[in-house]
Every structure is written in C-alpha cells, then in structure tokens.
Amino acid sequence: MSQLSYVSKQVKDLKPSGIRRFFDLAAQMEDVISLGVGEPDFVTPWNFIEQSFHALEQGYTSYTENAGMIELRREISAYLNRNYYLMYDPSEQVIVSVGASQAIDLALRAVIDPGDEVIVVEPSFVAYVPTVKLAGGIPVTIQTKAENAFKLKPEEIEEAITPKTKAILLCNPNNPTGTFLLQEELEPLASVIKKHDLLVLSDEIYAELTYDDDYTSFPSITGMKERTILISGFSKAFAMTGWRLGYAAGPAELIAAMVKIHQYTMMCAPTMAQHAALEALKNGRQSVKDMFESYKQRRNFIVSSLNEIGLTCPHPGGAFYAFPSIEATGLTSNEFAEHLLQEEQVAVVPGNVFGANGEGYIRCSYATSIKQLDEAMKRMKRFVEKRM
Amino acid sequence: MKGIEVELLKLIENNANLEVEKIAKLLGKSIDEIQELIDRLEKKKVILGYSTLIDWAKVLDVEEVTAMVDVKVTPARGVGFDKVAERIYRFPEVKAVYLMSGAYDLSVSVKGNTMTEIGHFISEKLSTLDSVLSTTTHFVLKRYKHDGIILQDSDEDDKRIVVSP
C-alpha cells in the first residue's frame, strides 16, 4: 500500500514549486554565488535582536492575544499612518501574523467560498496560486505584458472578471519583476475594481523598498480602504525573514474573520518575534534607511551591468529584484538558469516559475554584497558572450 | 552638501578601495562625473586621505601599544585649548587628540612599540608641557571594534538558503 493514497487529492494536484527543484540543484554545488535569494543579505539589526533577548529574559515566553500584542498593533497602526496616511484602529482592524504569507492565507480563507475566483497577476510570487487553491478558490491569472514593463492595466482586469470573481491579489512593488505602480497607474485599476465590487488583497511587503518615486498604499486611494486588506510584514525592509512576522490591516469584519481562523490554527504569532518587531517600529528607522540606500545602489549597479552584458533590463522601481530578458541568448529560462549554474556557479531563478509570461526572463536578486554582485556579473558576462 | 556627495562619501568611507567605475555604476552617474566629484572633495579637504584598517595584533613580528591619555590643561587667553592641543598633536606618536567635556580636557591617543616607549613620551614630553596640569594613562589591552569595524573573527558566512521565493 502506498502512503500517497492518504494524501488529499487537492494537495496531490498542486504543482511543486519550480523554485524547489532549482534549490536542490544549487544546494549540491560549491562556490555558488546566489542571486536566487528572495530575502535580504543583511542580518537583522542588532537592537531588534537584543530587544528580543531582553523580552525572553523578562519571561515573555507565553502566548499573546490572538491578534497580536496590542502595543505592537498600535505601533503598526501608527507606522501605517506615518508612512501612508492610513487610519486603522489597532484594536479591531489590525492582525499580527506569522509572516505576510500567513496573512495572505488567512485573508484568502476568510473570504473564499468554494468556486470563487481570485485574480492573480503574473509573473507573481509563487505562493499566490497554490494558496488560492488550498483555500478552495479558483485562481484566474492575468499575464501582464513585457511591452508594458509588466504593469497591470485596467482593461486586463476587465477581461479577467467573470460573475464568480470575488477578489484580486495585487503585489506592489512586484516580486519577481520589481515593477512599481504609481498612484496614477493604480487609480484606473481602482475604478475597475470598484465598478465590479471586488475585494483587494494588497501585498505591500516591498513598499519600503521603492527607489525613485513616492509610494501609494492601495487602501489610501479614495474608495479602496473599505474593500482592501493590506498585507505586509517585517521580512524585507526590516531584514527579519526568519522571525516570521507579518500583519494585515483592513475593515474590522474582515480582520475579525481572519482572527477567527488564526485563533484555531495558529493561536498567535511568536512572542519573541513580536517584541523584536516592536523595537523595529519604534527604533528601526535609521537601519531601514541605511539598508534602503544600499539596495538602491546595488539596483543601479546590477541594472546597468545586465544591460551592458546584453540582457535587456528595464529599471525596476522597487523590491530587490531585476528581471532581465534573456531572449538574446536564444535559451529558455530553464536552460539559461541551469547552464549558468553548471558553467559559472551563479544561481538565478528562471522567470517561468512565476508564471507563463515569465518565460524568456530570469529573476536576479540584488540583495547580495557589491563584491559578490560584481563577480556574478563577470561570470554572467562570460556566459552570455559565448552565446551571442 | 548635495545628496549624491553624501552618498559617495559614505560609500568610500566604508571602502576606500572601491574603483571609480563601480562607484559610478552604484550611484547611477558617469565615471567622469564621479572622478570630478572626488577631485573636488579632495581639493576642498572633505576627503583627507585613504587609509587601510589593519589588525596589527595578527601581524606577529610587529608589536604595537596604544594608550589613551586623559590630559588636564590650562587654557591660554585668546587661543583657548587650541594652542596646547597643537603642541600635543604635532608629535608623531600622537594619533588622535580630542577636546572633551567632563572631568578632563584633552583625550590623547598615543601609539608606540612598547609600554616603555609610551611611558617615556608621556613623562618626558607630554606631562612636562607648561600648560599640562596632569595626565592619566590607560593602556589598550584588546581592540574589539575600531571605527565601526568589528575586529573579532566571527562567522560572517551567508546563512541564507541558496534559492528562495
């Protein structure tokens, strides 16, 4: 008897992440420079870590409230107000989650009835489609176009909408493309969303990492706050991936629904991580600013290097990813990534794992030291020159 | 000062070894623009020099001793502490001089090959100056962090997994 028969049909049918396969390949090799990492290269700032030590020493080792420590929710609310002019009541409109990932899962499970459709904008973070499916929904993908620099257009939403559409998942700035939509690009999307009465799950985990223009949080657009669940967390800008701490803010009824699931399935986010996050919001601004400046410089560096090599790459406005076209090499995304790894020991992620329209592209994370980036670019140059 | 100048200075403050070409790419400027900017900052004495931070404790045949000396002095009319400070900082053994608030006036960092050598300098040169009232000498036993750089060997390896979403 195979134990596989115990595994649910839904899980059996889920496609394994394309990233996973690539990880296995890269993990076996030595001297790999990885541009495949979706997290900061910085260690968490010391004062956040030290505050967590202190909390542990003080005996803060028990559960917190389901929705998270009220002090932390107050700080999150104040932070959203300070940065994005948003007003959320910390007692009813904010929930602290185990990473932004769990907040996405909670939000989807809180709103999806079987058969509801959720629009996912590809190329996208690899977890959206499976999470929608696991919540019982049907993901409907939009393939944004390279000629629009992968920017979502209102007519593309119109085309994807059916009577069953319940929600749309937006990620701005976007992983993997680094595409960053400005207020004037978001407003036409908001009109369509309002017209069709959709709910928005707005993943704003990279909001702090936008380099050239001001960031507009989606719920701050007129008429959007009452139909948006804002999702973010501490992983990226605060360099806290391993702490697993995120949050969501939105209308009280929706947050209450998320808390209901959270209290039965997770109880609360880790207490020591909540204490570190509290310190991050209170005294972390300078650290965030320093890391931001460094990412910005490295973005300039990698984008100009990629273009010099002949891998056309538009200027990504946010996050820490460059998404160059590899068309000039005549290789597929998978071939490019695999051969590059084998020949030059540089790991990148093939663009097609983020959606069909990611084919012909690769994702390069520039969250790595200048020295490593420089070496990676030299190796990639050698690799590309052989093929052009 | 303009944002770009501050950005450039911060970059080379942390790594004087960075090539102009790389700085230009990092800051999104042309090589000529960056070279011009550096020349200007050197001329204006904003950039004073390019030094290398060395952990001499690891170089076996070189002995080096550092002392921090708290110096109480009598300031002079018209020139305050500046004149006596100059008398002190002109000595090549003196690596740093700061005017301090609090219990003493000048903090003087002195470098030598041996403790005897430093002792000699303090007793013969420093404390015999007319305006010096007293000195308190503290020898450095171990350097943990210097100018923002941690000198301990620690495991700085990248602990991230190779590929992640």
Side-chain angles (χ1 to χ4, degrees):
Chain A
M1 189 204 78
S2 160
Q3 274 74 20
L4 197 61
S5 61
Y6 293 127
V7 176
S8 76
K9 185 174 174 316
Q10 190 184 40
V11 172
K12 255 187 272 186
D13 290 349
L14 276 186
K15 256 200 330 203
S17 165
I19 281 196
R20 180 73 225 175
R21 194 181 69 85
F22 212 71
F23 169 76
D24 293 339
L25 265 176
Q28 296 162 4
M29 302 186 68
E30 303 232 332
D31 187 31
V32 171
I33 297 180
S34 184
L35 308 183
V37 191
E39 61 177 320
D41 57 318
F42 297 103
V43 171
T44 306
W46 180 250
N47 60 317
F48 311 175
I49 299 176
E50 202 268 344
Q51 185 61 37
S52 183
F53 289 167
H54 178 66
L56 287 169
E57 281 167 352
Q58 294 293 303
Y60 287 104
T61 57
S62 46
Y63 298 129
T64 68
E65 284 172 74
N66 293 129
M69 294 179 344
I70 186 68
E71 302 92 308
L72 177 56
R73 282 182 280 149
R74 276 194 202 114
E75 283 298 330
I76 291 169
S77 168
Y79 165 84
L80 292 174
N81 182 255
R82 200 163 61 228
N83 283 19
Y84 311 115
Y85 317 105
L86 294 163
M87 299 279 272
Y88 287 107
D89 175 358
S91 59
E92 289 192 318
Q93 299 184 315
V94 178
I95 176 175
V96 178
S97 59
V98 181
S101 293
Q102 192 219 357
I104 293 165
D105 182 36
L106 288 175
L108 287 167
R109 284 199 278 162
V111 303
I112 289 178
D113 282 315
D116 282 347
E117 291 180 0
V118 176
I119 298 174
V120 174
V121 185
E122 289 189 330
S124 80
F125 178 51
V126 295
Y128 295 155
V129 164
T131 315
V132 170
K133 284 185 185 164
L134 287 168
I138 299 166
V140 174
T141 61
I142 291 177
Q143 308 288 314
T144 54
K145 294 189 178 65
E147 62 259 36
N148 298 333
F150 295 110
K151 287 186 175 183
L152 177 63
K153 299 286 167 189
E155 55 275 17
E156 292 173 325
I157 303 183
E158 288 274 12
E159 282 163 27
I161 287 172
T162 76
K164 287 185 186 158
T165 309
K166 178 114 181 215
I168 177 165
L169 240 163
L170 296 177
C171 181
N172 188 35
N174 187 43
N175 174 8
T177 55
T179 302
F180 168 36
L181 300 176
L182 305 180
Q183 181 162 1
E184 59 267 30
E185 292 162 323
L186 291 169
E187 273 164 356
L189 306 181
S191 311
V192 178
I193 284 162
K194 192 167 183 185
K195 184 173 137 201
H196 294 276
D197 193 22
L198 301 185
L199 175 74
V200 179
L201 307 188
S202 185
D203 183 348
E204 305 191 1
I205 188 79
Y206 294 102
E208 287 261 16
L209 305 178
T210 45
Y211 305 108
D212 311 309
D213 299 284
D214 286 338
Y215 186 76
T216 301
S217 178
F218 199 75
S220 72
I221 295 171
T222 316
M224 287 301 109
K225 192 173 170 235
E226 56 266 35
R227 57 175 69 252
T228 301
I229 300 176
L230 185 164
I231 290 158
S232 191
F234 296 88
S235 290
K236 312 294 177 177
F238 295 88
M240 292 178 68
T241 43
W243 299 78
R244 308 308 306 122
L245 211 70
Y247 57 85
E253 292 84 353
L254 294 173
I255 296 297
M258 289 168 69
V259 173
K260 210 192 246 181
I261 306 171
H262 187 62
Q263 70 187 354
Y264 290 128
T265 56
M266 192 62 74
M267 303 282 294
C268 65
T271 306
M272 54 288 249
Q274 292 193 50
H275 281 275
L278 197 52
E279 173 68 13
L281 291 178
K282 280 183 175 167
N283 300 309
R285 247 181 280 183
Q286 189 59 44
S287 307
V288 170
K289 193 168 164 262
D290 291 345
M291 293 189 275
F292 169 88
E293 273 183 17
S294 176
Y295 290 133
K296 183 178 173 182
Q297 292 168 355
R298 293 185 259 170
R299 177 201 58 165
N300 296 343
F301 185 84
I302 196 171
V303 171
S304 88
S305 301
L306 287 168
N307 282 311
E308 276 169 25
I309 293 172
L311 302 179
T312 325
C313 181
H315 215 56
F320 38 59
Y321 308 109
F323 201 64
S325 163
I326 51 154
E327 206 188 341
T329 63
L331 299 172
T332 67
S333 297
N334 270 330
E335 285 165 354
F336 187 98
E338 270 173 42
H339 294 171
L340 180 67
L341 182 63
Q342 272 148 10
E343 288 172 35
E344 297 287 355
Q345 290 78 50
V346 175
V348 297
V349 182
N352 59 314
V353 311
F354 304 101
N357 52 343
E359 179 54 55
Y361 295 82
I362 52 166
R363 189 192 74 174
C364 305
S365 161
Y366 50 84
T368 199
S369 70
I370 295 171
K371 205 173 166 183
Q372 293 267 64
L373 270 185
D374 190 38
E375 176 61 25
M377 289 301 115
K378 282 186 187 134
R379 295 187 189 182
M380 273 172 86
K381 182 167 190 254
R382 206 156 51 203
F383 178 83
V384 171
E385 270 170 1
K386 274 191 243 164
R387 287 163 176 84
M388 304 218 308
Chain B
M1 212 178 287
K2 277 183 296 183
I4 191 80
E5 294 188 354
V6 177
E7 251 190 284
L8 166 86
L9 291 170
K10 280 188 184 169
L11 259 182
I12 58 174
E13 184 181 31
N14 292 323
N15 182 6
N17 206 17
L18 215 51
E19 299 96 323
V20 176
E21 189 201 3
K22 250 183 243 171
I23 299 173
K25 264 190 184 180
L26 286 162
L27 301 183
K29 300 276 167 195
S30 74
I31 295 175
D32 289 349
E33 280 174 299
I34 295 297
Q35 190 57 58
E36 234 170 74
L37 191 53
I38 291 175
D39 292 347
R40 202 165 65 232
L41 289 165
E42 283 177 357
K43 216 169 153 195
K44 276 164 68 185
K45 300 253 182 195
V46 174
I47 297 172
L48 296 167
Y50 303 86
S51 63
T52 309
L53 186 60
I54 294 167
D55 190 353
W56 285 108
K58 285 191 185 139
V59 184
L60 292 175
D61 10 334
V62 179
E63 282 292 332
E64 199 199 56
V65 187
T66 302
M68 311 290 292
V69 191
D70 310 342
V71 186
K72 282 187 189 168
V73 300
T74 321
R77 185 157 188 142
V79 288
F81 292 96
D82 296 353
K83 200 73 201 165
V84 58
E86 187 185 352
R87 279 295 284 275
I88 296 171
Y89 66 61
R90 291 261 180 198
F91 286 107
E93 299 87 332
V94 172
K95 297 300 167 191
V97 177
Y98 308 111
L99 177 63
M100 310 295 286
S101 65
Y104 57 94
D105 304 306
L106 297 174
S107 173
V108 177
S109 154
V110 183
K111 247 185 211 175
N113 294 320
T114 60
M115 277 172 80
T116 323
E117 205 179 290
I118 288 181
H120 183 77
F121 172 75
I122 290 166
S123 59
E124 296 296 316
K125 305 286 181 194
L126 191 58
S127 53
T128 53
L129 289 172
D130 283 345
S131 37
V132 169
L133 299 172
S134 74
T135 59
T136 310
T137 304
H138 312 274
F139 282 100
V140 174
L141 301 181
K142 185 173 182 179
R143 297 201 302 173
Y144 291 101
K145 189 176 184 180
H146 185 84
D147 271 356
I149 307 282
I150 293 170
L151 301 173
Q152 300 304 295
D153 285 325
S154 60
D155 165 20
E156 301 269 307
D157 287 353
D158 196 337
K159 297 182 181 65
R160 298 175 297 168
I161 55 174
V162 201
V163 181
S164 62

